[in-house]
């Protein structure tokens, strides 16, 4: 059962607080939640009548008669803002793990009302926070709202929610490093906890740390199933669900298999796994493009094509990391020797494509040769590889386009749908 708390600042009038208790109890019952009432009051001022002690006792009795748990809390200096703020922060911290906290600042001194609102907005709550005020248009001769005209006025904007919105905006722009940094201060539980861990997982995924990301994403999957209808987190929840059920098993299996191939253990490898891995690296390049990281986009586009070539070779029974030309028929060995002018021991992007042509796995025409040369030269001449130039937007867009076309040709499959499957959305 969900745990809710209603926090009331107590002044000299009981009716607005009773109204708040009634409405909170009715709302909690609709949601099958358990409600506890916290009464915050200060010592009475001279000649104050009725005094906060009496009002707190009256509201406590009223709430207990409704079957609610009540906890009275005395504020030592109700006229001192700093004291109120310190004591109310401590109180709200005790409630920070509840599923919902309702702070009603109708009663009490001005310092108490100001302090409870400030403390509420700056406390990191695991669940929801709502700020309530009991008001109304019709008042009695003393200026107090009459019972029949009382209404609850609500707001739910909090510091936690504002930070969550900032993090989601960063994730929509694929700025996962900054998003994960901002999310470190979020509570561990509830929607905020989901966002906190999801931002870290996607940061890891974006940096190709597949296994570590997968562990976090699998841990979030059950919560993601619930949040797919959440108005703010639905896209992120769907991304988590999709990665866990449709992408992670194939990519992890393929990456682990490739590592074994590097060591000479040629374990079975699946076409779907190679396709998804290639599609994911293309998506990674596309994210760098959106972040205006042109050189990084070029390098990842190149790597996506290289992964496609390595996968096609492995699926043909050829180990690109431990190439044995003698295992090919004589005719294919001669064609490879003529095309390259040497006998490679390890197949790179270019020599891998030449080998695929020699064994009849793929045919590269003149137009495709131009694409391949452009991809290679743009990457090789970048300052992060062998050259001294920074890539520009046009370079990144062109190389990504050519790499996807060539990878589609090499794997004999349309990668567009697979890229959508591997797409990170928030």
């Amino acid at each position: 059962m969900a745990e809710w708390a209603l926090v009331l600042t107590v002044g000299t009038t009981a009716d607005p607080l009773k109204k708040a208790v009634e409405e909170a109890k009715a709302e909690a019952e609709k949601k099958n939640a358990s409600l506890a009432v916290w009464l915050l009051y200060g010592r009475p001022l001279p000649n104050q009548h009725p005094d906060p002690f009496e009002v707190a006792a009256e509201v406590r009795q009223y709430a207990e008669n409704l079957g609610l748990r009540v906890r009275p809390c005395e504020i030592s200096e109700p006229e001192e803002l700093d004291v109120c703020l310190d004591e109310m922060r401590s109180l709200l911290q005790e409630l920070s793990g509840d599923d919902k906290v309702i702070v009603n600042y109708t009663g009490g001194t001005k310092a108490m009302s100001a302090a409870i609102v400030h403390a509420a907005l700056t406390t990191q709550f695991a669940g929801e926070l709502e700020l309530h005020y009991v008001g109304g248009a019709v008042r009695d001769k003393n200026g107090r709202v009459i019972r029949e005209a009382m209404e609850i006025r609500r707001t739910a904007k909090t510091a936690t929610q504002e930070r969550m919105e900032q993090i989601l905006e960063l994730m929509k722009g694929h700025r996962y490093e900054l998003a994960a940094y901002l999310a470190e201060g979020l509570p561990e539980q509830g929607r905020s906890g989901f966002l906190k861990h999801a931002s870290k997982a996607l940061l890891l995924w974006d940096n190709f740390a597949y296994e570590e990301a997968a562990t976090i994403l699998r841990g979030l999957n059950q919560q993601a199933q619930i949040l797919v209808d959440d108005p703010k987190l639905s896209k992120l929840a769907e991304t988590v669900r999709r990665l866990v059920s449709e992408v992670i098993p194939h990519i992890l299996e393929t990456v682990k298999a490739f590592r074994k191939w590097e060591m000479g253990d040629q374990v079975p490898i699946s076409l779907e796994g190679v396709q998804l891995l290639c599609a994911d690296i293309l998506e990674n390049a596309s994210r760098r493009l959106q972040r205006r990281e042109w050189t990084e986009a070029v390098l990842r586009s190149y790597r996506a094509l290289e992964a496609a070539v390595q996968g096609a070779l492995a699926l043909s029974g050829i180990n690109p990391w431990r190439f044995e030309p003698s295992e090919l028929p004589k005719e294919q060995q001669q064609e490879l020797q003529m095309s390259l002018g040497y006998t490679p021991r390890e197949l790179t992007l270019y020599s891998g494509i030449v080998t695929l042509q020699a064994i009849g796995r793929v045919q590269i025409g003149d137009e495709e040769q131009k694409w391949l040369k452009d991809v290679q030269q743009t990457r090789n001449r970048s300052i992060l590889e062998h050259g001294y130039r920074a890539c520009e937007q046009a370079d990144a867009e062109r190389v990504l386009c050519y790499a996807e076309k060539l990878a589609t040709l090499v794997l004999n499959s349309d990668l567009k749908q697979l890229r959508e499957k591997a797409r990170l959305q928030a």
Side-chain angles (χ1 to χ4, degrees):
M1 179 178 286
E3 294 288 336
W4 289 17
L6 170 63
V7 181
L8 298 165
T9 50
V10 179
T12 58
T13 308
D15 278 349
L17 307 186
K18 292 179 180 179
K19 173 74 172 178
V21 170
E22 288 172 10
E23 294 218 3
K25 179 177 183 293
E27 188 179 349
E29 287 175 347
K30 287 180 184 177
K31 301 292 184 179
N32 194 31
S34 171
L35 178 67
V37 178
W38 294 59
L39 298 174
L40 279 56
Y41 59 91
R43 291 187 177 276
L45 301 174
N47 301 318
Q48 191 176 27
H49 184 76
D51 67 45
F53 283 164
E54 295 169 346
V55 174
E58 182 180 343
V59 176
R60 178 179 184 174
Q61 187 62 55
Y62 182 80
E64 288 178 342
N65 289 343
L66 293 175
L68 300 175
R69 292 174 288 118
V70 182
R71 177 173 166 178
C73 299
E74 182 179 319
I75 304 301
S76 60
E77 297 287 346
E79 294 285 341
E80 293 293 331
L81 182 60
D82 288 343
V83 174
C84 292
L85 191 55
D86 287 342
E87 294 183 8
M88 290 175 178
R89 275 179 174 156
S90 297
L91 168 78
L92 292 180
Q93 196 58 46
E94 290 185 47
L95 303 174
S96 62
D98 282 11
D99 298 284
K100 184 171 184 175
V101 176
I102 301 169
V103 172
N104 189 305
Y105 57 96
T106 305
T109 63
K110 289 181 173 61
M112 289 173 62
S113 295
I116 195 66
V117 170
H118 183 76
L121 291 175
T122 54
T123 297
Q124 301 287 356
F125 290 100
E128 298 178 63
L129 167 68
E130 287 188 1
L131 299 178
H132 288 190
Y133 178 81
V134 180
V138 183
R139 298 176 179 264
D140 63 18
K141 63 181 181 179
N142 296 315
R144 293 172 174 165
V145 179
I146 65 172
R147 188 76 164 82
E148 294 76 14
M150 288 179 182
E151 59 183 10
I152 304 287
R153 296 170 182 173
R154 310 162 185 253
T155 180
K157 193 75 170 179
T158 69
T160 298
Q161 288 169 318
E162 286 184 0
R163 177 169 289 196
M164 288 175 67
E165 289 173 7
Q166 290 175 340
I167 292 165
L168 278 170
E169 283 302 310
L170 287 167
M171 293 178 73
K172 287 174 184 176
H174 308 298
R175 302 285 178 178
Y176 299 113
E177 187 171 3
L178 184 53
Y181 174 76
L182 285 179
E184 286 179 3
L186 291 178
E188 291 285 336
Q189 301 166 329
R191 296 168 70 252
S192 56
F194 176 82
L195 180 59
K196 178 177 184 175
H197 295 293
S199 64
K200 181 180 179 181
L202 295 195
L203 172 63
L204 291 166
W205 188 272
D206 194 51
N207 284 284
F208 302 113
Y210 289 125
E211 286 99 338
E212 195 174 350
T215 299
I216 298 173
L217 291 167
R218 284 169 172 160
L220 294 173
N221 192 36
Q222 186 173 357
Q223 194 175 5
Q225 308 284 348
I226 299 170
L227 292 172
V228 289
D229 295 322
D230 186 278
K232 295 287 181 67
L233 297 176
S234 58
K235 286 187 178 180
L236 180 59
E238 175 56 27
T239 295
V240 171
R241 187 210 62 75
R242 176 168 32 82
L243 289 177
V244 170
S245 62
E246 301 177 36
V247 178
I248 285 174
H250 301 291
I251 286 186
L252 288 190
E253 180 185 1
T254 302
V255 168
K256 290 174 182 177
F258 274 152
R259 289 172 186 163
K260 290 185 177 180
W261 277 67
E262 288 175 349
M263 303 303 294
D265 183 8
Q266 297 185 188
V267 297
I269 198 164
S270 72
L271 173 60
E272 185 176 4
V274 172
Q275 291 169 333
L276 266 172
L277 178 60
C278 178
D280 184 69
I281 302 173
L282 286 169
E283 277 296 298
N284 198 302
S286 178
R287 292 194 292 273
R288 292 314 192 278
L289 194 61
Q290 293 175 57
R291 284 154 54 169
R292 304 178 68 83
E293 298 172 4
W294 316 130
T295 301
E296 292 291 342
V298 167
L299 298 185
R300 282 160 173 75
S301 299
Y302 179 98
R303 185 66 185 96
L305 177 55
E306 187 177 46
V309 170
Q310 290 169 334
L313 288 166
L315 290 164
S316 301
I318 297 172
N319 191 330
W321 297 279
R322 295 169 179 259
F323 183 48
E324 295 291 346
S326 59
E327 295 179 356
L328 298 177
K330 277 285 186 188
E331 188 178 310
Q332 294 178 359
Q333 290 182 44
Q334 291 171 355
E335 183 179 343
L336 188 59
Q337 179 68 31
M338 286 179 60
S339 299
L340 293 174
Y342 66 97
T343 302
R345 301 301 301 172
E346 185 171 337
L347 298 176
T348 61
L349 173 58
Y350 179 71
S351 59
I353 286 182
V354 172
T355 302
L356 289 171
Q357 288 191 102
I359 66 173
R361 170 94 187 200
V362 67
Q363 292 301 317
I364 304 291
D366 292 341
E367 187 70 15
E368 289 83 2
Q369 288 285 1
K370 292 178 183 177
W371 298 345
L372 177 60
K373 185 177 181 180
D374 193 353
V375 170
Q376 290 180 286
Q377 288 186 345
T378 306
R379 175 258 194 182
N380 291 339
R381 291 174 181 172
S382 74
I383 196 164
L384 292 181
E385 287 300 326
H386 313 302
Y388 291 92
R389 62 186 293 267
C391 297
E392 298 178 354
Q393 181 176 355
D395 298 322
E397 291 173 345
R398 187 182 65 254
V399 169
L400 176 58
C401 176
Y402 289 167
E404 181 171 7
K405 288 180 177 180
L406 288 166
T408 296
L409 184 63
V410 166
L411 294 174
N412 192 29
S413 57
D414 186 358
L415 297 175
K416 284 186 172 58
Q417 286 188 339
L418 291 175
R419 282 187 59 181
E420 290 177 7
K421 188 179 287 189
R423 188 156 294 158
L424 305 186
Q425 294 180 303

